[in-house]
Amino acid sequence: MLDSFQSGDFLSVLKSYGVYGIVGAIVVGILVPILFKGSKRGKQRGVPVNVGGEAGYAVRNARVTELIDVPWKGATTMAALFELSCKKHSRNRFLGTRKLIEKEFVTASDGRKYEKLHLGDYEWQTYGEVFNRASNFASGLVKLGHDVDTRAAIFSETRAEWLIAFQGCFRQNITVVTVYASLGEDALIHSLNETSATTLICDSKQLKKLAAISTSLKTIQNVICFEDDESSKDTGLSESLSNLTVASFSEVERLGKTSPVPANLPSKNGIAVIMYTSGSTGLPKGVMVTHGNIVATAAAVMTVIPGIDSKDVYLAYLPLAHVFELAAESVMLTAGCRIGYSSPLTFTDTSNKIKKGTKGDASVLKPTLMAAVPAILDRVRDGVLKKVEDTGGLVKTLFDVGYKRRLAAVEGSWFGAWGLEKMLWDFVVFKKIRALLGGHIRFMLCGGAPLSGNSQHFINICMGAPIGQGYGLTETFAGAAFSEADDTMVGRVGPPLPCCYIKLVSWEEGGYLTSDKPMPRGEIVVGGHSVTAGYFNNQEKTNEVYKVDEMGMRWFYSGDIGRFHPDGCLEIIDRKKDIVKLQHGEYISLGKVESALMSSNYVDNVMLHADPFHSYCVALVVPVHQALEKWAKEAGIEFQDLSDLCEKAEAVNEVQQSLSKVGKASKLDKFELPSKIKLLAEPWTPESGLVTAALKIKREQIKAKFKTELTKFFGLILSSWLVGWMILVSMVDVSELSATSRSVPVRKRSSVALT
Ligand SMILES: *[C@@H]1O[C@H](CO)[C@@H](O)[C@H](O)[C@H]1NC(C)=O
Ligand SMILES: *[C@@H]1O[C@H](CO)[C@@H](O)[C@H](O)[C@H]1NC(C)=O
Ligand SMILES: *[C@@H]1O[C@H](CO)[C@@H](O)[C@H](O)[C@H]1NC(C)=O
């Protein structure tokens, strides 16, 4: 994903328009402020509401008085929604996939072979055709011998057949288990075993992985495999899966077509999906999502994408096993849009798998809507900035001026955000950047993690499209809060979606209270139609974080800390479980510090580590290769390769100084800055299991992998007397905890404990 955005030769165009641009901009820049005024300040987006359950500060969307639960009458389940939408749009194009023209392998200078694809146009299936395929698949599944009272699992990368199989299962009231394609083997075995899934639907890449673990898959009887373009069936593979029936997806469709089985549609409260979330600790948890949850989120998100209709084209490339993508595609289905399938490796003209000189998916599809996670948008920003910086000269000057002017405008200076000047800058500077994503993006959905203000502005300006930042969890089927298209303030996730209420509940221990000024703060609790049924096979954990109030409304306790702005928009400010108390009693919020440190140019990824046994924190840092190597060359430091460089004291020192600098700029306290760091040459990827599919770091896994490094940091070998002493100290602290809030000077207290 990294490289795919780093190109685009908009620079030559910049140069040719440059001179007119500067003159024009100056003239327009003077005129426009006089001609255009107006701003959207003061709009009330969320309003306080009285609700049941635990006391707190609750807010609802300002546009609805009653929560909405369906996109339209009758669409109470995913199966009904699918059928109605397919009837309504039956002749419209729905799912598109690019045809493979040619595949070749090139050998890079390091001797590794890379697959390069030459892909053709998108080939489309209409809503009507997709409906027939899903119905056939449903019948075929039954004919194949799938027992409809058991579950089917989908384990595949994002593609059209994923959605068809998903809808097919619902037509026979079969619950679908979803598993991330990048999840480890143990997690896969665990989720299939725990849900006793009997049919596994996968792509050929995942099928290859199955051979190694097939003996551990006790419950699976049938395997259905999506075909690839080249469709070479691996015979050796089927042998190693000898106890299982392996059928191709099209065989199952044919089977169903020749002997149809009447549909058996699910009900609103039936479990549609058991979605395994990678979670940041231990084995994944299966979240039970009802049909009602999905249609409620889809109905709610429909209302926040301005003018969404069947003319819209959506580029799909995030994992469908992630709630954010599944929710987004459900919205597209509801609105009758087209969905064109893509992947992170074929996304743009310069993506890794795209053959040189041929077009990437975005250029061919020209999407109007897309979804992204912050990590991707951060990389788009870094890629474009690097390109501009490397080119320098007039291009850089123009970009800088243009960006500053636009930034002032979107930040809501008094001369309004839209107008002639915008058109001019768009034409001169930003048009070519937009071409990277096909040039037609009109709205972006962003979710999965908080997006930095910088990136939000950057994408906003460079792509010329508003970003709707969503907040939601698998447990709320992605539906909780969503920022509105005309809201240009950064760092917030908007008001509650119209399908749910959001309540802040005071967290005394952490020092976040709903009585706080100037804004109420507390743990974010979501209640309403998008709140899921709980964790599969884990009543204890379910009871811990889900509660039903006296009026029958389900609430989910997110563990995230937020505050409500006066206009009813939510801002995520912290996370409960990421807060660690240091030895001297200071609280440190790992997530908050990490996101501050991420703004250093040297940091590709970072994990902060702290424990109650030390007074300082440490960090594992994956550096940005180019930045660090560039610095080393300039500083005259000799090194063989990146791993070598990462070991050099000078490099560590340089990165650490940069961390201190950005830390201070973000007003971090001294104890929040890592006092020791370790540079790691290998990037953290979902495949390595160190980050989730949404690229959030997995603390436990990283800690386990770099255990030696982390122990070295702390130097001491914990002799038994020391451990005993620490337990004593922490016991004293815990007993005082409830009486003490975060803001009380803690040093005093801890010095008592320590002396
Ligand atoms: C599979 O699940 C059963 C209980 O349902 C459990 O006893 C068994 O240990 C599990 N096996 C694996 C490999 O997880
Ligand atoms: C095949 O199934 C039989 C009986 O269900 C079992 O004993 C045998 O171990 C299985 N073989 C493999 C390779 O899983
Ligand atoms: C659908 O399946 C569930 C169990 O998974 C069952 O409780 C429910 O009654 C079924 N609904 C219909 C309409 O058959």
Side-chain angles (χ1 to χ4, degrees), residues 209-228:
K209 291 189 195 161
L210 285 187
I213 56 168
S214 67
T215 50
S216 309
L217 303 179
K218 306 281 187 223
T219 59
I220 298 290
Q221 291 159 7
N222 312 300
V223 175
I224 299 171
C225 183
F226 301 138
E227 288 103 323
D228 283 334

Side-chain angles (χ1 to χ4, degrees), residues 13-14 17 422-432:
V13 175
L14 278 190
Y17 292 130
K422 174 178 186 304
M423 282 166 56
L424 184 107
W425 285 120
D426 282 353
F427 183 65
V428 176
V429 182
F430 302 117
K431 201 173 156 201
K432 267 289 176 177

Side-chain angles (χ1 to χ4, degrees), residues 29 159 171 180 197 201 249 272 407 429 479 531 628:
R159 55 189 287 161
R171 297 198 60 74
Y180 287 135
I201 303 162
F249 192 74
L407 186 61
V429 182
V531 177
L628 193 64

